[in-house]
């Protein structure tokens, strides 16, 4: 199994954009996961950071967020948009038909680090 360097495959702006979108997506998912155990107004430092960092993004998506969604699931809904942009829009804009799973540069770097730790 060979894991290629993302800089050898993609231009630097794609890597930076994907990392930014990936961090936003995973932060939104992290907020949902932490919200399973803690309320949004918790004094726990990480919950405060997740809420404060993601509230502006959720506010931007509020006009297209369905009203029937439970409030704790709204960040997951917004994270879905970032996933769709990363998985479908970016490859289409770059001229690829399919990028495939784990071809996201951010997740690819994490997979490479885990692979290097095991082997």
């Amino acid at each position: 199994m060979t894991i290629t360097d993302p800089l050898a495959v993609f231009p630097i702006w794609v890597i930076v954009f994907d990392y930014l979108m990936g961090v936003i997506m995973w932060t939104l998912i992290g907020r949902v996961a932490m919200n399973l155990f803690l309320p949004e107004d918790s004094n726990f430092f990480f919950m405060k950071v997740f809420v404060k960092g993601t509230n502006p993004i959720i506010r931007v998506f509020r006009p297209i967020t369905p009203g029937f969604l439970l409030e704790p699931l709204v960040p997951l809904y917004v994270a879905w948009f970032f996933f769709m942009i990363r998985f479908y829009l970016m490859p289409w804009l770059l001229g690829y038909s399919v990028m495939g799973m784990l071809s996201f540069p951010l997740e690819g770097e994490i997979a490479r680090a885990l692979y290097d730790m095991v082997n």
Side-chain angles (χ1 to χ4, degrees), residues 8-68:
V9 179
F10 304 110
I12 188 70
W13 70 269
V14 172
I15 305 299
V16 170
F17 184 74
D18 182 74
Y19 272 48
L20 179 66
M21 299 290 278
V23 166
I24 292 170
M25 181 185 83
W26 285 110
T27 304
L28 288 161
I29 292 169
R31 176 178 171 164
V32 173
M34 287 187 73
N35 202 20
L36 293 173
F37 305 103
L38 297 169
E40 282 190 7
D41 59 352
S42 171
N43 286 328
F44 185 57
F45 171 76
F46 289 110
M47 189 60 177
K48 284 182 178 181
V49 170
F50 276 63
V51 170
K52 193 175 275 192
T54 57
N55 272 347
I57 298 162
I58 292 171
R59 208 172 302 118
V60 168
F61 282 84
R62 186 60 67 188
I64 59 172
T65 302
F68 62 82

Side-chain angles (χ1 to χ4, degrees), residues 59-104:
R59 208 172 302 118
V60 168
F61 282 84
R62 186 60 67 188
I64 59 172
T65 302
F68 62 82
L69 274 180
L70 298 173
E71 198 59 37
L73 294 178
V74 170
L76 189 61
Y77 175 77
V78 175
W80 174 78
F81 280 101
F82 287 91
F83 173 80
M84 297 303 271
I85 290 168
R86 292 177 71 210
F87 196 76
Y88 292 109
L89 184 63
M90 283 301 293
W92 180 70
L93 291 175
L94 294 171
Y96 297 105
S97 60
V98 174
M99 285 180 76
M101 286 305 280
L102 286 180
S103 62
F104 298 125

